[in-house]
């Protein structure tokens, strides 16, 4: 069986479009109007949808350090397995801000979901992510992955995109591999059982598969054409951004402070990671962290969109700057 990055996109995106139409017909649940809230914010309580990955640590730092509170915000957290699952919740108003991978957000935007990027999240660096196999696997190099199953946390996601980009650079046809959806916490077990031939993981699961299974790295998918590629960030619907500009600005300021903390003091990340990911403090202290960022750089984010177009996820160029908040 062969996998095409374009495959499987239409059905979920038709669903997203339908959700968008329903959301437009009713008042968004994101509009918890309280114009008299602390600091003059339009909305003082918001729900942030995020993933159980270290990429999201600054949001939890902002909460723990009181940066959200100082801005007049109360932020509730809601987790999902993959970024694509957060988009319907964002559109319906179940959450007001989504921390998701850029691929999921850009796919939604290209299919009529009117999103606005309000803050950056992180960039990958060596050791943060990897494609791994069991230590006794016959797979020794990228070329050996042709015809094999690779687990990713969500299909049509950044994992499949970056793997495809590096495989192509290595002379391997990306369509020759099959991507299988497996949640990050279940990656190690799936690999050990032989359900898949290889797994793609990011921290803290990179350290987990190396530590518990002695899994062997085949390649770093954030290398070569994808080196230092932006991984994910924060987005809202344009409706929410237009109705709540002060709230959006307050959220972005709190994230900016937390990002400064995360990059300057590793212990800040170590403290919060075990509160939303099922790992202990000792493990959290050893994982390879990404490069955290706060202010979106449209030129850097455009790299992701251009790769998506190259590999067929997008039928035409997506101008990221047109829906990215500045300042």
């Amino acid at each position: 069986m062969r996998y095409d990055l374009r495959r499987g996109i239409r059905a979920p995106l038709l669903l997203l479009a339908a959700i968008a139409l329903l959301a437009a017909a009713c008042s968004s649940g994101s509009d918890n109007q309280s114009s008299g809230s602390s600091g003059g914010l339009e909305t003082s309580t918001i729900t942030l949808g995020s993933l159980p990955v270290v990429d999201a640590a600054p949001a939890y730092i902002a909460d723990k350090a009181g940066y959200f509170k100082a801005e007049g915000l109360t932020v509730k957290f809601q987790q999902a397995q993959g970024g694509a699952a957060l988009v319907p919740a964002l559109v319906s108003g179940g959450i007001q801000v989504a921390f998701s991978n850029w691929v999921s957000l850009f796919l939604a935007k290209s299919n009529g979901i009117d999103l606005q990027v309000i803050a950056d999240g992180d960039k990958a660096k060596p050791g943060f992510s990897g494609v791994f196999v069991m230590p006794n696997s016959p797979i020794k190099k990228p070329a050996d992955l042709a015809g094999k199953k690779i687990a990713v946390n969500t299909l049509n996601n950044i994992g499949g995109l970056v793997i495809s980009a590096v495989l192509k650079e290595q002379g391997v046809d990306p369509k020759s591999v099959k991507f299988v959806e497996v949640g990050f916490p279940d990656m190690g077990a799936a690999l050990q059982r032989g359900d898949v031939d290889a797994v793609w993981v990011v921290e803290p699961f990179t350290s987990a598969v190396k530590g518990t299974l002695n899994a062997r790295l085949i390649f770093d998918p954030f290398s070569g054409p994808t080196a230092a590629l932006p991984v994910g960030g924060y987005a809202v619907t344009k409706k929410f951004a237009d109705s709540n500009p002060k709230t959006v600005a307050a959220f972005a300021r709190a994230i900016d402070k937390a990002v400064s903390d995360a990059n300057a003091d590793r212990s800040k990340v170590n403290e919060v990671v075990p509160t939303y990911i099922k790992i202990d403090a000792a493990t959290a202290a050893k994982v390879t962290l990404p490069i955290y960022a706060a202010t979106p750089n449209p030129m850097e984010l455009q790299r992701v969109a251009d790769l998506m177009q190259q590999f067929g996820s997008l039928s035409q160029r997506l101008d990221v700057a047109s829906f990215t908040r500045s300042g």
Side-chain angles (χ1 to χ4, degrees):
M1 231 177 139
R2 300 292 182 261
Y3 180 80
D4 188 329
L5 278 173
R6 292 169 292 187
R7 199 162 154 199
I9 292 175
R10 292 182 182 175
L13 290 173
L14 286 174
L15 175 61
L16 291 179
I19 292 172
L21 289 174
L22 288 172
C26 59
S27 62
S28 171
S30 64
D31 296 330
N32 291 326
Q33 296 298 331
S34 53
S35 57
S37 63
S38 175
L41 303 184
E42 304 87 357
T43 303
S44 60
T45 300
I46 60 176
T47 299
L48 168 64
S50 65
L51 308 174
V53 290
V54 297
D55 313 53
Y60 291 86
I61 292 173
D63 188 50
K64 179 179 175 61
Y67 297 148
F68 288 137
K69 184 177 181 180
E71 294 287 351
L73 281 172
T74 298
V75 176
K76 300 177 181 179
F77 293 83
Q78 180 175 309
Q79 280 196 359
Q81 174 178 308
L86 293 171
V87 177
L90 189 66
V91 173
S92 68
I95 62 175
Q96 287 71 59
V97 183
F99 177 86
S100 181
N101 73 88
W102 294 122
V103 171
S104 294
L105 294 174
F106 293 170
L107 276 174
K109 177 67 178 179
S110 71
N111 284 270
I113 308 301
D114 205 359
L115 302 181
Q116 184 170 353
V117 173
I118 62 170
D120 201 353
D122 64 326
K123 295 181 181 180
K125 69 179 181 182
F128 167 71
S129 171
V131 173
F132 290 89
V133 299
M134 290 295 289
N136 60 348
S137 170
I139 298 171
K140 306 295 182 183
K141 56 187 183 299
D144 297 334
L145 288 167
K148 300 297 191 293
K149 295 179 182 179
I150 303 177
V152 292
N153 70 312
T154 307
L155 300 179
N156 303 315
N157 193 298
I158 196 163
L161 179 67
V162 294
I163 291 170
S164 295
V166 175
L167 285 178
K168 183 176 180 180
E169 186 192 46
Q170 295 286 327
V172 182
D173 182 0
K175 294 180 182 179
S176 68
V177 304
K178 179 183 179 183
F179 293 112
V180 178
E181 188 170 299
V182 178
F184 278 134
D186 302 318
M187 289 286 191
L191 184 62
Q192 190 171 32
R193 288 193 305 264
D195 296 345
V196 294
D197 302 292
V199 296
W200 169 70
V201 286
V202 298
E203 289 288 21
F205 305 99
T206 304
S207 294
V209 298
K210 289 191 295 185
T212 61
L213 300 179
N214 197 27
R216 181 161 43 82
L217 178 69
I218 298 300
F219 68 90
D220 183 346
F222 289 100
S223 60
T226 57
L229 193 74
V231 180
Y234 303 84
V236 299
T237 63
K238 188 175 185 300
K239 178 180 179 180
F240 184 84
D242 290 346
S243 300
N244 301 272
K246 293 179 182 178
T247 302
V248 167
F251 180 88
R253 286 193 298 269
I255 291 295
D256 185 63
K257 292 175 184 176
V259 163
S260 295
D261 285 357
N263 287 329
D265 185 354
R266 159 99 198 209
S267 69
K268 301 291 185 183
V269 179
N270 297 349
E271 289 172 4
V272 298
V273 167
T275 67
Y276 68 97
I277 305 176
K278 294 180 180 179
I279 60 172
D280 57 35
T283 302
K286 295 177 182 177
V287 302
T288 299
L289 299 181
I291 302 168
Y292 294 111
T295 303
N297 183 331
M299 291 183 63
E300 284 294 303
L301 298 183
Q302 191 65 48
R303 292 176 60 200
V304 180
D306 290 347
L307 276 174
M308 292 172 67
Q309 184 181 3
Q310 178 185 348
F311 287 95
S313 295
L314 296 177
S315 60
Q316 58 187 6
R317 187 176 188 272
L318 184 68
D319 181 11
V320 177
S322 68
F323 59 97
T324 298
R325 177 181 180 273
S326 59

